[in-house]
């Protein structure tokens, strides 16, 4: 039998055949490379050996056409549009189908719209400056009227698929991963302790929520309520929602689904979706994606599985997700830490994905602050809630993603400037949040006596905050011992609401000082009845009410006072609270919160959120069997049982960062941080 060859070097092995379409005759706006020695001439030493082990082969054209910009693979005609496993990944409801090629051989199909994930593996000589016109600026222009690139699967003379030791996922003819699940019991939790009936139920719900693509698990749906007739977008795989699910699987020794998820979402990065003909920034990660099905071209007996991403063009308010890329980087580090498999983060395409996200976040603009400027609804609080500007949640996740990237980035000539920029941003962001976002009784007294309209570099009230902004509820609510980071800071505006996720991640990432981190937990303990009550934890405290609710939320009927984002209680925050408590040596607080949740979650059918000030009512529009509620509970239980695992997911204070701050971490750092001094400091790194 005549053997065929392949030019793809991604370790994500397709079901069989890959059709790669692009929108112009020159890929990414540059001429198509010739597959010879010059194609890899500029590879860095850290990656050249890995690339040398891979094979570059020939390709041929096909008459098949691409439908839209989606990832596809052929499946059986009578299967569902997306696959949710019953109780284990080994019994997937979707199996790969086949169709007859011109030579009569049965083949499965995986159609991918562009070659960015594989093509960028050929070179790492990418200048990280965000304003340069370089190869990393991948914009594909033109139409669909071009012939797609066809990559046949590698076959031996006897017709068998060759094994590639460089791939991370091996797929047999049925499309089900055998090698990676061999010897693993995926129907039962692999934890060496007796689990309660509630935990057993939670594991079953979590496994039932698993979505398969080409026979392999790639994520979990947001909610999987069998009685829900209008799932809306809750049947999609959200990046932020999948993080607790991923941690539950990782802590249980099941890393395959997490690896698949990371690689597939990486392939979806930089998708060319538009809102009114405007393209988002290069490196943007989707908020979610869904496995759909479409008829296979030229066949009446098979159809294709399609990965269809959403970059915000279908979301409420049409806002692009700022946090998706940050969560992806955080999860990538967690995968390496827990599994010990660092080869994934060392891959060239993964390294490039990290750099694209960082370039997007570190792009110079009009903003003078080291914090990220974002719009309302761009994170977990994905509706209008008055968080536009520099919300704490994004700053804490941004800081965490920068610290992750600092650990994972391969330092070479192509990345040294980017690494220097990351170090400088970490130092400046840390100082900015610790100095200007922190409030306790002492700081509120200072704000109360602020002078305004100060025009000088030595001003105390740098942001022109008027003392009358201090809300009446805060005066009586702030304890004598304890404090927290405010929700937002802009000129003449401080949002004094307590945002739980941002404060917890400030602890986890050591964005705050040790004393500040301790004080946040002290405040939560002191105000337990307000922030935890009957169900952990309030996403925001206090809720917006009356005219304030009407003005700030636009009279949002879902965000009524003490509901949903507006003071609702979200059980998924439990795992982050547990992680913060373990780090600060207070696991008893987490155990108390987990016990509260365990009493109610199963009986209430694992709701998305709870309503009212005390969290006693199931949310009026809350989805049941919410996956991240289930996963957050399981992750919390396993972290408390194995606190040494928790240490792999948080960061301690990095004193080297404090020493390298170009501003000297001083309140009046103008003299220490001149333009010349900042430049020399950057060059020195």
């Amino acid at each position: 039998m005549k053997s065929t060859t392949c030019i793809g070097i991604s370790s994500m092995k397709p079901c069989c055949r890959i059709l790669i379409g692009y929108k112009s005759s020159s890929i990414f706006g540059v001429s198509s490379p010739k597959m010879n020695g010059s194609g890899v001439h500029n590879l860095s030493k850290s990656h050249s050996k890995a690339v040398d082990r891979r094979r570059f082969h020939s390709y041929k054209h096909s008459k098949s056409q691409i439908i839209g910009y989606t990832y596809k693979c052929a499946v059986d005609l009578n299967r569902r549009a997306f696959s949710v496993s019953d109780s284990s990944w080994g019994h997937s409801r979707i199996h790969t189908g086949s169709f007859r090629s011109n030579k009569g051989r049965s083949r499965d199909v995986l159609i991918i719209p562009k070659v960015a994930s594989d093509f960028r593996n050929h070179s790492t000589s990418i200048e990280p400056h965000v304003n340069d016109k370089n190869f990393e600026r991948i914009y594909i222009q033109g139409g669909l009227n071009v012939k797609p690139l066809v990559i046949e699967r590698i076959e031996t003379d006897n017709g068998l698929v060759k094994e590639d030791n460089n791939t991370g996922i091996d797929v047999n003819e049925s499309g089900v991963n055998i090698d990676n699940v061999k010897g693993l019991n995926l129907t039962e939790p692999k934890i060496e302790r007796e689990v309660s009936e509630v935990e057993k139920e939670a594991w079953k719900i979590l496994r039932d929520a698993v979505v398969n693509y080409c026979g392999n698990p790639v994520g979990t749906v947001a909610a999987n309520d069998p009685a829900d007739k209008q799932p809306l977008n809750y049947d999609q795989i959200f990046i932020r929602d999948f993080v607790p699910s991923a941690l539950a699987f990782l802590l249980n020794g099941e890393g395959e689904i997490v690896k698949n998820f990371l690689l597939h979402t990486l392939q979806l990065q930089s998708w060319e979706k538009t809102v009114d003909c405007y393209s988002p920034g290069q490196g943007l990660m989707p908020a979610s994606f869904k496995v759909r099905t479409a008829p296979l071209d030229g066949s009446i007996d098979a159809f294709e599985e399609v990965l269809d991403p959403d970059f915000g063009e279908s979301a409420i308010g049409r806002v692009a997700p700022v946090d998706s890329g940050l969560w992806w980087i955080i999860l990538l580090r967690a995968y390496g830490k827990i599994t010990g498999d660092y080869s994934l983060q060392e891959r060239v395409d993964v390294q490039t994905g990290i750099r694209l996200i960082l370039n997007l976040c570190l792009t110079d603009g009009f903003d003078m602050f080291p914090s990220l400027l974002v719009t309302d609804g761009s994170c977990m609080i994905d509706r209008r809630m008055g968080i536009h500007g520099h919300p704490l949640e994004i700053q804490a996740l941004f800081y965490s993603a920068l610290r992750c990237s600092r650990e994972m980035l391969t330092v070479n000539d192509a990345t040294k400037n980017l690494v220097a920029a990351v170090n400088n941003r970490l130092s400046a962001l840390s100082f900015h949040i610790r100095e200007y976002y922190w409030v306790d009784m002492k700081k509120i007294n200072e704000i109360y006596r602020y002078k305004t309209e100060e025009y000088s570099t030595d001003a105390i009230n740098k942001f022109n905050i008027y003392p009358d902004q201090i809300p009446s509820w805060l005066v009586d609510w702030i304890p004598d011992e304890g404090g927290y980071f405010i929700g937002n800071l802009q000129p003449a505006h401080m949002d004094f609401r307590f945002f739980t996720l941002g404060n917890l991640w400030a602890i986890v990432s050591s964005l705050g000082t040790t004393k500040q981190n301790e004080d946040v937990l002290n405040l939560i303990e002191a105000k337990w009845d307000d922030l935890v009550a009957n169900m952990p934890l309030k996403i925001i405290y206090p809720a917006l009410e009356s005219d304030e609710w009407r003005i700030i939320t636009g009279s949002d009927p879902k965000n009524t006072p003490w509901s949903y984002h507006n003071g609702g209680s979200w059980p998924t925050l439990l795992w982050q609270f547990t992680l913060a408590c373990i780090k600060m040596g207070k696991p008893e607080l987490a155990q108390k919160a987990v016990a509260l949740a365990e009493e109610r979650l199963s009986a209430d059918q694992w709701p998305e959120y709870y309503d009212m000030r005390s969290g006693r009512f199931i949310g009026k529009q809350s989805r049941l069997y919410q996956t991240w509620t289930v996963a957050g509970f399981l992750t919390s239980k396993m972290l408390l049982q194995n606190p040494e695992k928790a240490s792999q997911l948080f960061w301690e204070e990095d004193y080297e960062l404090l020493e390298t701050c170009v501003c000297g971490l001083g309140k009046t750092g103008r003299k220490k941080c001149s333009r010349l001094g900042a430049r020399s400091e950057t060059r020195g790194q």
Side-chain angles (χ1 to χ4, degrees):
M1 180 182 293
K2 182 180 178 181
S3 63
T4 56
T5 54
C6 173
I7 66 170
I9 62 175
S10 171
S11 69
M12 295 226 37
K13 208 176 228 182
C15 294
C16 278
R17 196 164 63 147
I18 306 177
L19 303 182
I20 301 176
Y22 48 90
K23 296 171 70 176
S24 67
S25 58
S26 60
I27 303 177
F28 313 139
V30 298
S31 299
S32 300
K34 297 179 180 180
M35 293 305 165
N36 52 28
S38 62
V40 293
H41 177 70
N42 292 321
L43 284 173
S44 65
K45 293 181 179 179
S46 60
H47 296 120
S48 60
K49 293 182 180 179
V51 176
D52 288 341
R53 291 195 300 265
R54 299 185 174 105
R55 292 178 293 276
F56 295 84
H57 300 288
S58 62
Y59 62 90
K60 66 179 182 178
H61 290 284
S62 169
K63 294 182 179 179
S64 301
Q65 295 180 346
I66 306 297
I67 302 176
Y69 291 95
T70 47
Y71 289 79
K72 308 177 183 180
C73 72
V75 295
D76 188 274
L77 181 63
N78 297 316
R79 299 297 177 181
R80 292 168 53 177
F82 64 93
S83 171
V84 181
S85 63
D86 293 316
S87 60
S88 71
W89 306 333
H91 297 84
S92 169
R93 296 179 187 173
I94 289 281
H95 302 282
T96 54
S98 61
F99 71 98
R100 288 287 173 184
S101 64
N102 295 334
K103 295 185 179 181
R105 285 186 300 207
S106 177
R107 298 191 183 281
D108 299 326
V109 173
L110 175 65
I111 301 180
I112 300 179
K114 62 182 182 179
V115 72
S117 180
D118 283 340
F119 188 82
R120 63 189 177 195
N121 289 352
H122 298 315
S123 175
T124 57
S125 59
I126 302 172
E127 183 61 28
H129 294 298
V130 295
N131 294 324
D132 289 353
K133 295 181 179 179
N134 53 54
F135 183 67
E136 199 164 282
R137 306 298 294 175
I138 306 172
Y139 287 102
I140 308 175
Q141 301 178 353
L144 286 172
N145 54 349
V146 294
K147 293 183 179 180
L149 188 65
V150 177
I151 303 176
E152 295 281 354
R153 64 177 177 177
I154 303 173
E155 295 180 349
T156 61
D157 292 337
N158 58 6
L160 299 177
V161 177
K162 287 184 180 179
E163 296 294 333
D164 187 351
N165 293 330
N166 293 322
T167 60
I169 302 175
D170 294 325
V171 183
N172 68 346
E173 287 298 326
S174 67
V176 180
N177 187 313
I178 298 298
D179 292 343
N180 287 335
V181 300
K182 192 176 296 182
L184 299 182
N185 179 7
L186 298 176
T187 61
E188 294 293 336
K190 303 191 306 305
I191 33 187
E192 297 178 358
R193 63 184 177 88
E194 185 176 351
V195 296
S196 65
E197 291 301 318
V198 175
E199 289 177 81
K200 291 179 181 178
E201 178 190 352
W203 274 111
K204 184 180 185 304
I205 295 171
L206 181 60
R207 296 186 188 284
D208 286 346
V210 170
V211 176
N212 289 278
Y213 173 65
C214 293
N216 292 296
V218 294
T220 52
V221 291
N224 194 27
D225 183 3
D228 189 357
K229 304 302 181 183
Q230 292 182 321
L232 299 178
N233 61 348
Y234 283 81
D235 60 356
Q236 298 185 22
I237 304 169
F238 283 81
I239 288 185
R240 76 173 68 95
D241 289 40
F242 180 69
V243 171
S245 296
L247 293 178
F249 287 125
L250 287 174
L251 292 171
N252 201 41
E254 303 171 44
E256 179 202 6
I257 184 174
V258 183
K259 184 174 184 178
N260 292 347
F261 171 84
L262 289 167
L263 290 174
H264 276 297
T265 48
L266 176 65
Q267 290 176 322
L268 296 174
Q269 185 186 33
S270 305
W271 208 265
E272 292 192 271
K273 295 287 187 178
T274 62
V275 177
D276 296 336
C277 302
Y278 182 78
S279 297
Q282 183 70 21
L284 180 69
M285 282 296 213
S288 63
F289 65 92
K290 184 175 182 178
V291 180
R292 302 183 186 273
T293 56
L296 182 64
D297 286 353
S299 174
I300 60 174
D301 298 324
F303 65 92
E304 301 157 325
E305 281 185 338
V306 176
L307 288 185
D308 186 13
D310 177 13
F311 288 83
E313 72 277 6
S314 300
I316 298 294
R318 303 303 189 266
V319 177
V322 177
D323 62 338
S324 290
L326 307 178
W327 278 122
W328 185 86
I329 291 177
I330 292 169
L331 182 57
L332 177 64
R333 174 189 181 266
Y335 173 84
K337 285 285 187 179
I338 296 177
T339 65
D341 176 16
Y342 295 99
S343 62
L344 180 63
Q345 62 188 238
E346 293 169 354
R347 286 171 44 136
V348 183
D349 55 344
V350 174
Q351 286 282 311
T352 305
I354 297 173
R355 291 158 65 181
L356 287 173
I357 296 172
L358 292 178
N359 286 344
L360 184 62
C361 294
L362 296 173
T363 300
D364 293 333
F366 291 100
D367 202 21
M368 295 289 289
F369 307 149
S371 46
L372 274 183
L373 177 63
V374 299
T375 188
D376 230 337
S378 57
C379 53
M380 179 179 174
I381 301 172
D382 56 6
R383 296 165 76 100
R384 180 178 167 189
M385 277 296 298
I387 65 167
H388 57 278
H390 305 84
L392 177 65
E393 175 180 332
I394 291 296
Q395 313 317 318
L397 292 175
F398 181 38
Y399 186 79
S400 302
L402 289 176
R403 293 202 64 173
C404 291
S405 302
R406 190 167 178 255
E407 294 179 26
M408 297 186 295
L409 274 175
T410 300
V411 182
N412 52 40
D413 290 340
T415 61
K416 61 181 181 181
N417 291 328
L418 182 60
V419 172
V422 167
N423 285 332
N424 287 337
R425 192 62 165 265
L426 279 167
S427 299
L429 182 60
S430 175
F431 171 72
H432 186 80
I433 300 298
R434 293 178 180 187
E435 180 64 25
Y436 303 121
Y437 277 66
W438 179 255
V439 293
D440 53 15
M441 181 58 75
K442 178 182 177 181
K443 186 61 178 288
I444 293 175
N445 266 288
E446 291 179 7
I447 298 173
Y448 182 72
R449 294 172 57 84
Y450 265 170
K451 294 179 181 180
T452 59
E453 318 303 329
E454 293 182 286
Y455 184 80
S456 72
T457 58
D458 297 326
I460 301 300
N461 187 2
K462 287 180 167 49
F463 302 97
N464 202 37
I465 303 299
Y466 298 99
D468 289 345
Q469 289 185 25
I470 300 176
S472 57
W473 66 265
L474 181 61
V475 176
D476 298 324
W477 189 75
I478 191 76
D480 292 331
E481 298 294 331
Y484 67 100
F485 295 99
I486 62 171
N488 211 329
L489 176 65
Q490 298 185 78
H493 173 68
M494 295 182 76
D495 187 342
F496 287 98
R497 288 177 293 174
F498 179 89
F499 286 74
T500 302
L501 179 58
N503 274 277
L504 293 179
W505 268 100
I507 297 174
V508 171
S509 64
S510 287
L511 176 57
T513 66
T514 301
K515 179 64 166 60
Q516 289 172 338
N517 294 340
E518 291 173 350
D519 281 353
V520 170
L521 288 186
N522 288 338
L523 179 137
I524 293 176
E525 188 173 13
K527 298 298 176 180
W528 188 268
D529 291 340
D530 291 328
L531 301 176
V532 180
N534 291 282
M535 177 55 63
L537 286 133
K538 287 282 186 298
I539 190 171
I540 294 176
Y541 183 89
L544 300 171
E545 301 183 274
S546 303
D547 289 341
E548 192 177 28
W549 165 73
R550 281 187 284 272
I551 294 170
I552 293 179
T553 73
S555 302
D556 188 345
K558 195 169 184 178
N559 275 321
T560 53
W562 307 108
S563 178
Y564 202 50
H565 299 132
N566 191 16
S569 298
W570 292 73
T572 188
L573 294 172
L574 193 61
W575 73 268
Q576 293 158 101
F577 179 61
T578 301
L579 195 56
C581 289
I582 293 175
K583 178 186 176 182
M584 302 310 298
K586 290 190 173 183
E588 66 279 0
L589 280 182
Q591 290 170 345
K592 181 180 177 182
V594 170
L596 275 175
E598 192 165 8
E599 289 178 2
R600 297 189 58 190
L601 288 179
S602 177
D604 294 340
Q605 298 179 305
W606 307 92
E608 180 182 13
Y609 64 93
Y610 286 78
D611 280 355
M612 308 311 293
R613 184 186 292 267
S614 62
R616 295 181 62 188
F617 287 12
I618 298 174
K620 58 184 175 182
Q621 296 189 45
S622 176
R623 300 286 164 154
L624 302 180
Y625 299 100
Q626 186 79 13
T627 305
W628 70 350
T629 295
V630 173
F633 168 74
L634 289 173
T635 299
S636 297
K637 295 286 285 189
M638 287 188 284
L639 287 174
L640 287 172
Q641 184 69 24
N642 302 286
E644 69 281 356
K645 293 288 187 182
S647 64
Q648 298 174 327
L649 300 175
F650 58 68
W651 296 261
E652 299 294 347
E653 180 70 278
D654 189 337
Y655 295 101
E656 181 183 350
L657 286 176
L658 302 182
E659 294 173 358
T660 59
C661 179
V662 295
C663 297
L665 296 186
K667 293 184 180 179
T668 58
R670 176 72 173 248
K671 296 178 181 178
K672 298 180 181 180
C673 187
S674 65
R675 291 178 181 271
L676 181 60
R679 288 175 182 173
S680 62
E681 184 71 24
T682 302
R683 290 193 190 103
Q685 294 177 13

